[in-house]
Structure formats: structure tokens, C-alpha cells
Amino acid sequence: MEKLAIKKQLFEKAIQQQQTLVNDIQKRLSDLKESITSLEVGSFGGSDDARREEDVEDIQQEKIHLANAKAELNKLETLYQVLQIDSKVNVGSIVKTELFNFIFAINMPQIEANGERYMLVSDQAPVFKALEGKTIGEEAQINRHHYTIKEIF
């Protein structure tokens, strides 16, 4: 399979996975809001008041998670719009080393395509910073791991 087609397939899977996360967070938010409205108001100091406070705090946390998940989804979609074969490691690059295959975009669980696994790693991660701007054959050492770039696309 052509490298650009593989890259496209990987980004589509990542976008789909991130959209699922956004949908899950939105569902949790909806459930929390529904839970709050179902609680009886008034029993001063009662368990419903304590539960309501917990739900309000949970809603605030979920709103933060949702904003972050949407921002990461937007980043993936933006990178997808300008996919190209890279000659140097950049944001959006897919990099194969002897240890791991990386997609440098956002942090999320690994994905698989064509029998290979790819770790999605943020452009803020030390491994990206160490490999950024490097080309095929160049090396980087991060902690005890030694990476030699075998392929970039």
C-alpha cells in the first residue's frame, strides 16, 4: 500500500477514535445534567445536596475534558487536511524506528493498520522533541531508549 494511503488510513482511524471519545464525554455530561435535575431540591444538608455538589464538580471536570478532546480532534482533522509525505520528522509525521512506530500528533491509545501498531504521541512529548527535524538514518537517545529512524511519511 502506498505510504500516503497508509497515512490517510491511520489518521482516519485516529480521528474516528477521538470522535468516539468526544461522544462518550458528551454522553457523560448529559447523564450528569440529567442526574442533577432528577434530585429533589430542598432537604438542607441532605444526601441529595451532597450528590448535587458532586455532580456539579463532575460536570466542570467533564467540560474541561470535552474541550481538550475537541481541541485534539480539531488538531487531527487539521493535520488530515494537509497530509503529505514528510522527509523530516514534523507534527503529523509517521515515523518508524526499530523499537516503535509513531504518529506525532496527539496522545491517545495506539492504533493498528496493515498488521502494524502505531503509538500516537503528542508533539510536546520528549520523544518527538528528540526526533523533530531528523531524517531517515538519524538517531536519538531518550532515557535508555535508542531510536534510529527507519522510515518517515
Side-chain angles (χ1 to χ4, degrees):
M1 185 180 257
E2 178 193 344
K3 288 180 182 181
L4 191 56
I6 293 169
K7 190 171 187 175
K8 198 173 181 183
Q9 178 186 23
L10 287 166
F11 268 84
E12 287 168 355
K13 283 185 174 197
I15 288 168
Q16 181 181 18
Q17 225 174 331
Q18 192 66 19
Q19 184 63 61
T20 298
L21 176 63
V22 167
N23 294 345
D24 290 348
I25 295 169
Q26 287 173 327
K27 172 80 169 99
R28 284 194 304 269
L29 262 172
S30 176
D31 291 348
L32 284 167
K33 288 176 182 177
E34 190 176 305
S35 173
I36 284 178
T37 58
S38 71
L39 295 174
E40 288 186 29
V41 178
S43 56
F44 182 73
S47 63
D48 282 351
D49 288 341
R51 169 97 185 272
R52 187 177 295 101
E53 282 182 34
E54 286 177 18
D55 286 350
V56 167
E57 288 176 25
D58 289 346
I59 285 172
Q60 294 308 315
Q61 287 301 311
E62 290 299 332
K63 283 182 177 180
I64 292 167
H65 291 142
L66 181 60
N68 291 336
K70 283 182 173 181
E72 290 182 335
L73 177 59
N74 185 52
K75 184 175 186 175
L76 286 172
E77 290 173 337
T78 299
L79 289 169
Y80 181 78
Q81 297 303 317
V82 294
L83 285 182
Q84 62 184 16
I85 299 300
D86 299 318
S87 59
K88 293 182 177 185
V89 178
N90 295 301
V91 176
S93 293
I94 295 174
V95 178
K96 292 184 174 187
T97 71
E98 72 285 358
L99 296 176
F100 301 107
N101 299 327
F102 298 102
I103 301 172
F104 292 118
I106 67 170
N107 282 330
M108 70 183 313
Q110 68 182 5
I111 57 177
E112 191 174 317
N114 301 321
E116 294 188 272
R117 291 186 176 166
Y118 295 83
M119 294 175 50
L120 283 102
V121 178
S122 166
D123 56 346
Q124 301 302 308
V127 68
F128 173 75
K129 298 294 185 190
L131 293 173
E132 185 178 20
K134 294 191 181 302
T135 59
I136 294 172
E138 292 191 275
E139 303 173 351
Q141 180 90 19
I142 300 109
N143 298 324
R144 295 174 304 189
H145 298 289
H146 181 84
Y147 299 96
T148 302
I149 299 172
K150 302 291 185 192
E151 202 172 337
I152 303 170
F153 56 100

